[in-house]
């Protein structure tokens, strides 16, 4: 035991030499907490960024083989665009100071200095984690929201659209709602409970995806002349399953990392517990419902049930008891299953069911805290009050509903304006010929599965022409 303790102390001293060299015990404790919290938030940021790999696999597996390379590859492109845009302006608009309840007005081109952290980012001062780590964590969230939005463009969106809308979403749309809820804005002032972003991250991305889906119109062959839908199955369910497993694991960084602390009573572990229970309930519930409705257990429906449950528990993970997490997750999986069927029959071709999974579930998850938030956990987190079932009346539920409505309408209108202008000026959709041959070949000059795809060989690189 003595040897193990000595080894642990020496190893920790190598990791955090500032702690070992501190002059007094009080300073050591403060520095130790800052160091552990910083490592925890950095790890959480890495987990959330790695969720991009999950989205790439899920979306590639859920679309056709002729578009797989494009769907996966644009994940890297758009996250790179998001990182640059969020660093330059989005982070400042979301969390910068200025005393404005609508938008932040400081901290642009974040330089990582503690001086800037103190003067520009007061809304993040509750944690001693360095501002550079906080930036990476919040960037990961913005990247997830943008990845969700791209679901509405799948298999028919033009490549230049990713550049223009990706930057505008990251700078103009996402940061404003983030500021309302997390940056000291008007929804924060009235006590809206959205711990890790059912509304801020998921509903925003899903609403933009819905607008894109409506403006782009359905894919070729999706609907018959009488309006009845045809199934366009994804080319690889194994990739989709692996993508969902990566997302499930990454969600522990998403929700638990939002504590911004690993010290104290280990509250991040409790959040991981509620997150996992919800995901499990959502997947099982969606699978059983699909079995009842179709007579067969549907794997894509089960995967969407897991994701919907994770989306729903994202707002409430820190506010509800474990039994409530199971209820929230199960209802999210069931809601997503039926709304996905309804949207498809209504003529909305949402290739990866982005609005059902992230929008409907995001709304339900945000509202659920108004029902199930306990007085003890609301006090612990320090946001809002108890839900309806715990004697809080309709106040918190009303606050949650106002936040959902405000965010949804804001993103809906602004996305319609931006994408509508883009549709008129530069076009959103590839040509019919390009859509038929697939975006791998038409936008990138090579198939993601070149050996498996039939047809003529692509032209040599020197002979390719670029069309926009």
């Amino acid at each position: 035991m003595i040897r193990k303790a000595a080894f642990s102390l020496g190893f920790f001293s190598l990791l955090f030499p500032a702690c070992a060299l501190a002059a007094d015990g009080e300073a050591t404790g403060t520095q130790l907490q800052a160091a552990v919290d910083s490592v925890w938030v950095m790890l959480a940021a890495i987990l959330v960024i790695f969720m991009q790999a999950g989205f790439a696999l899920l979306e590639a597996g859920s679309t056709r083989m002729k578009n797989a390379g494009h769907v996966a590859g644009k994940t890297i492109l758009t996250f790179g665009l998001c990182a640059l845009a969020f660093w330059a302006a989005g982070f400042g608009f979301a969390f910068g100071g200025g005393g404005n309840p609508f938008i932040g007005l400081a901290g642009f081109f974040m330089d990582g200095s503690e001086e800037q952290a103190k003067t520009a980012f007061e809304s993040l001062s509750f944690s001693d984690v360095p501002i550079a780590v906080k930036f990476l964590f919040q960037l990961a969230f913005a990247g997830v929201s943008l990845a969700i939005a791209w679901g509405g463009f799948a298999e028919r969106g033009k490549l230049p659209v990713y550049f223009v809308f990706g930057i505008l979403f990251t700078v103009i749309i996402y940061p404003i709602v983030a500021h309302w809820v997390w940056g000291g804005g008007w929804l924060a002032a009235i006590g809206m409970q959205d711990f890790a972003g059912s509304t801020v991250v998921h509903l925003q991305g899903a609403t933009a995806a819905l607008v894109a889906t409506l403006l782009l119109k359905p894919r070729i062959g999706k609907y018959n002349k009488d309006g009845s839908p045809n199934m366009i199955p994804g080319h690889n369910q194994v990739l989709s399953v692996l993508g969902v497993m990566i997302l499930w694991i990454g969600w522990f960084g998403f929700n638990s990392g939002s504590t911004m602390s690993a010290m104290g009573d280990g509250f991040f572990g409790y959040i991981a517990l509620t997150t996992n229970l919800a995901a499990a309930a959502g997947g099982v519930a969606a699978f059983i419902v699909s079995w009842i409705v179709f007579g067969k257990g549907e794997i894509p429906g089960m995967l969407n049930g897991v994701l919907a449950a994770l989306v729903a528990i994202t707002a409430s993970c820190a506010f509800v008891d474990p039994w409530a997490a199971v209820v929230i997750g199960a209802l999210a999986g069931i809601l997503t299953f039926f709304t996905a069927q309804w949207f498809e029959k209504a003529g909305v071709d949402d290739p990866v069911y982005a609005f059902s999974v992230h929008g409907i579930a995001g709304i339900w998850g945000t509202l659920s805290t108004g029902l199930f938030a306990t007085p003890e956990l609301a006090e612990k987190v320090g946001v809002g009050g108890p839900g309806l079932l715990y004697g809080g009346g309709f106040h918190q539920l009303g606050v949650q509903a106002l936040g959902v409505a405000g965010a949804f309408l804001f993103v809906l209108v602004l996305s319609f304006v931006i994408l509508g202008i883009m549709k008129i000026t530069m076009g959103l959709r590839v040509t019919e010929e390009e859509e038929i041959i697939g975006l791998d070949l038409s936008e990138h000059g090579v198939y993601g599965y070149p050996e498996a795809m039939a047809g003529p060989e692509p032209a040599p690189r020197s002979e390719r022409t670029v069309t926009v």
Side-chain angles (χ1 to χ4, degrees):
M1 290 295 294
I2 295 175
R3 288 182 179 179
K4 289 182 179 180
F7 175 79
S8 299
L9 180 61
F11 180 72
F12 199 79
S13 298
L14 290 174
L15 286 177
F16 307 112
C19 299
L21 298 176
D24 58 356
E26 184 179 353
T28 301
T30 302
Q31 291 177 351
L32 175 61
Q33 177 166 347
V36 172
D37 290 348
S38 298
V39 171
W40 165 238
V41 177
M42 187 68 210
L43 174 61
I46 291 170
L47 285 171
V48 180
I49 291 172
F50 190 60
M51 288 172 70
Q52 296 289 333
F55 280 116
L57 291 174
L58 172 62
E59 292 186 23
S62 300
T63 51
R64 287 167 289 186
M65 184 180 288
K66 64 183 179 180
N67 299 310
H70 168 82
V71 169
K74 59 87 177 162
T75 305
I76 301 296
L77 169 65
T78 56
F79 185 71
L81 291 169
C82 178
L84 295 172
F86 199 65
W87 163 73
F91 189 56
F93 285 140
F95 298 99
N100 190 324
F102 185 75
I103 190 171
L105 297 173
F108 306 114
F109 295 96
M110 196 276 301
D111 60 16
S113 68
E114 289 308 303
E115 179 181 357
Q116 189 185 49
K118 293 177 182 178
T119 58
F121 297 109
E122 185 180 351
S123 63
L124 296 173
S125 62
F126 64 90
S127 168
D128 290 332
V129 172
I131 192 64
V133 179
K134 292 175 181 175
F135 166 79
L136 288 172
F137 186 66
Q138 295 299 336
L139 164 64
F141 280 47
V144 167
S145 191
L146 182 59
I148 295 165
W150 294 134
F153 294 81
E155 299 202 294
R156 59 217 194 276
K158 293 172 64 174
L159 187 60
V161 172
Y162 294 126
F163 284 85
V164 178
F165 188 72
I167 292 172
L168 293 177
F169 181 88
T170 305
V171 172
I172 297 176
I173 298 176
Y174 175 84
I176 292 180
V177 175
H179 183 79
W180 293 355
V181 182
W182 294 338
W186 67 278
L187 287 175
I190 63 175
M192 181 179 177
Q193 296 170 337
D194 188 9
F195 189 75
S198 290
T199 289
V200 174
V201 177
H202 296 279
L203 180 57
Q204 283 207 82
T207 304
L210 176 64
V211 173
T213 296
L214 295 175
L215 290 177
L216 282 162
K217 307 298 183 185
R219 291 167 291 175
I220 295 172
K222 176 61 181 176
Y223 291 98
N224 299 310
K225 291 182 179 180
D226 62 358
S228 60
N230 295 311
M231 180 179 289
I232 303 181
H235 83 282
N236 194 323
Q237 286 190 359
V238 176
L239 290 184
S240 297
V241 169
L242 183 57
V244 169
M245 282 304 305
I246 291 174
L247 289 168
W248 191 335
I249 293 170
W251 232 286
F252 293 118
F254 207 102
N255 288 358
S256 298
S258 295
T259 59
M260 287 282 179
S261 177
M263 300 290 279
D265 60 359
F267 190 45
F268 68 94
Y270 179 83
I271 292 171
L273 170 66
T274 57
T275 298
N276 197 62
L277 287 172
V284 171
F287 186 80
I288 292 173
V289 168
S290 71
W291 203 345
I292 294 171
V293 173
F294 297 134
K296 302 287 184 181
E298 189 187 45
I299 292 176
M302 176 181 64
L303 300 181
N304 286 335
V306 170
L307 293 179
L310 287 165
V311 170
I313 200 63
T314 295
S316 54
C317 55
F319 296 99
V320 301
D321 285 332
W323 72 266
V326 173
V327 173
I328 291 168
L331 287 177
I334 295 170
L335 278 171
T336 291
F337 175 82
F338 285 110
T339 56
Q341 306 299 318
W342 185 86
F343 278 116
E344 185 174 55
K345 291 178 181 178
V348 179
D349 182 17
D350 188 351
V352 296
Y353 304 109
F355 191 73
S356 295
V357 172
H358 299 275
I360 299 297
I363 292 170
W364 159 237
T366 306
L367 295 176
S368 70
T369 68
L371 298 173
F372 300 111
T374 71
E376 297 79 11
L377 290 171
E379 182 178 359
K380 183 180 182 68
V381 178
V383 178
L388 177 64
L389 298 183
Y390 287 86
F394 288 96
H395 174 75
Q396 192 62 48
L397 185 60
V399 170
Q400 300 302 106
L402 179 62
V404 165
F408 175 72
L409 290 174
F410 173 80
V411 179
L412 184 76
V413 172
L414 203 53
S415 295
F416 258 117
V417 170
I418 292 173
L419 290 172
I421 293 173
M422 291 173 61
K423 184 175 183 178
I424 294 172
T425 57
M426 60 182 288
L428 298 176
R429 185 166 178 160
V430 297
T431 66
E432 182 175 336
E433 179 184 3
E434 290 170 334
E435 185 176 344
I436 290 172
I437 66 173
L439 301 186
D440 282 6
L441 190 59
S442 66
E443 296 283 46
H444 307 287
V446 62
Y447 283 118
Y449 295 92
E451 293 87 358
M453 297 301 295
E457 292 292 323
R461 184 180 296 273
S462 59
E463 298 178 15
R464 296 177 193 166
T465 59
V466 178
T467 58
V468 177

